[in-house]
Structures are given as structure tokens and as C-alpha cells.
Amino acid sequence: PVLQGVFWVGAKLFPLSIIKTIIFFKVVIVIADVGIFFLMKQLLKQLSLPKHLSLMYFLNPLVIEELTGNAHFEGLMIFFALFAFLFLFKMRWMSTAIAIGFGIATKILPILFIPLIFKKLGFKKGVLFAVIAGVVTFFLFLLVFNISTVQHLLNSINLFFRNFEFNASIYYLVRWIGERVTGYNIIARAGPILSLTAALIIFIVSFSNQKYSSQILFRNALFIISTWFLFSTTVHPWYICLPLALSVFTTFRFPIVWSFTALLSYAAYQSIPVHENLWLIGAGYIFMIGYGLWEMWKTPAQKPQTITKN
């Protein structure tokens, strides 16, 4: 619904010009980028980290090309997600819930952070947080609610989990094994099963028995979103902007590697119809995952850092 609002305003302002409407979309994305800049500045200050680390995000070619270049609205979703984390660090959990609600109503991915934030807040505040986030999301969806919209949403979710496949990693291995066992593409079963597996891992990580310092919170958020994408059937390059933004607040840099290896997937568009080079995709994932595992091996356990109230 948040994006539908942006599209509606663009269409009303420039009903006869596609170019002007697209420019309007890009202006919205640039404004979100400005917001992300100030949010990253505040969050890095909160974590006692150098402010220049935000340049890992803003100067990354993937971010420049896919957001303001190709007008993908991941930037607007990242803006709301970082706003939620900033409010959380300031112990303003109701504002956190509202920001998460707007993030979910922009692109649904921030819903994956709800268990993590729930664990950080504790049971009582966590329940209230989840209820408020749900109410905000519900009312935003209510603005565009009708039967056809619900049917379209359910069909889209079904297509994403059971039909779409692009630049995947674990799924392509599962599909390869499945094709040799059954003789056909098993995405209809493998897609939902892998998503449920990722969801289970996310819940385990979110509710792990540890104190959530600010840096551990971002580390786990990065692990959660990376796990989701590794188990997904579809990973378009611009999806990596979110883990890239989260990595700014951690010691892990594998999302930077991922932001470059993800671009290898565009080799599929050299032919019509689109045909993916699985060797190229596999090499990219092996390099990225290998680098990530090396970082985990060499990185010492982070000392707890208190989340202060300002």
C-alpha cells in the first residue's frame, strides 16, 4: 500500500507522461536515500562506529544502479527498517512498531525482523509491539483493500514461492537433485519447504538464548535476511541492498562481495528467451559464501554493548 500510494501520486501529478512519472519515482527514492544517510549516521554514532562506514552502502555500484538507476523501491523499505532499529535503540518500542508496519507495507521483508525485535523487548512489550505493528500494517492494507486485491496478493505469493526462480543458490541444488529423482522440476514442493526451513532457522536465531547488544542485534538481522535469500527460489540483484545496508553496522563484509556476484545473474539476459548460466551463478555463490564463512571463522565473538536510552 505504501508503494501504491507513491504510484498513485505519480500518476495524478503526471497522468500523460511516463518519463515524468518515473522521474518522480526516482525523486522519492533519492529522498529515502537522504533519510537513510542521516539514519546511518545516527546508528553508527549509537554503536560508536566510524561514520564513513556508511559509504560502503552509498558508493556501492549496486545501490546506485538498482535504486535511483532502475527505480527499485528497496531504498524506501530500508529507510523504514533503519528507522525501526533507531527507535528500538532509543527504547521507543511503539515508534519501532509503527516504523516496521510501514516497512512491511512497503515491501514485506521487514516482517522477518519481528521475532528478533520481540526477543529484544521481552514478552510483554514484545506482544504489544507485534500487535501495534500488525494493526499499522492492517490499516495501511485496508486503504487498498478489495476482493480482487486480496486475490492478486495471494496469487502473487503463490507464484513467488511455487513458480518463480532466478539467481537462487540452495534451491538450485535441491532442484537438481529433485529432477534426477523425479524427472521434473520440483519447485511447487521445494519452494514452500525451503521457505519454511528458512523461517524455522530465523525463529531459532531470533529466540536464541543470548543478551541482545546493539551490534549482536544487527549481526543477527543480517544473518536472518541472508538466510532468507539463500533459501529463496528468486534473488534479484537489488534484493541484496538490504543485507548490504545492515552490514554497515557489523564487522561482516560478505554482502559487499554478494553485491558484485549478484550482478553475474544478468548474464541470463544475453539470450531470448532468458537462460541462466548456472555455472556462473554457482561460482558467484561459492565465492560469496566462502568469503562469509571465512569472516565468521576469523571474527572473534563481539563483546556485549549496552543499548542506551537517549
Side-chain angles (χ1 to χ4, degrees), residues 1 8 52 66 75-77 122 148 152 175 197 211 229 263 301:
W8 181 83
H52 69 263
E66 294 293 359
L76 190 56
M77 178 260 291
S148 63
H152 175 73
R175 186 186 69 179
T197 302
K211 293 182 179 180
F229 288 148
L263 297 175

Side-chain angles (χ1 to χ4, degrees), residues 72-123:
H72 290 294
F73 281 87
E74 256 65 17
L76 190 56
M77 178 260 291
I78 291 169
F79 169 78
F80 287 122
L82 294 185
F83 228 137
F85 281 116
L86 182 61
F87 283 137
L88 180 64
F89 293 161
K90 293 180 179 293
M91 297 303 178
R92 295 166 59 182
W93 57 270
M94 292 183 67
S95 298
T96 300
I98 294 171
I100 280 288
F102 272 86
I104 294 170
T106 304
K107 296 219 169 187
I108 203 167
L109 277 174
I111 200 172
L112 298 175
F113 300 135
I114 285 184
L116 188 70
I117 297 173
F118 184 100
K119 163 68 176 177
K120 170 65 185 73
L121 293 173
F123 183 79

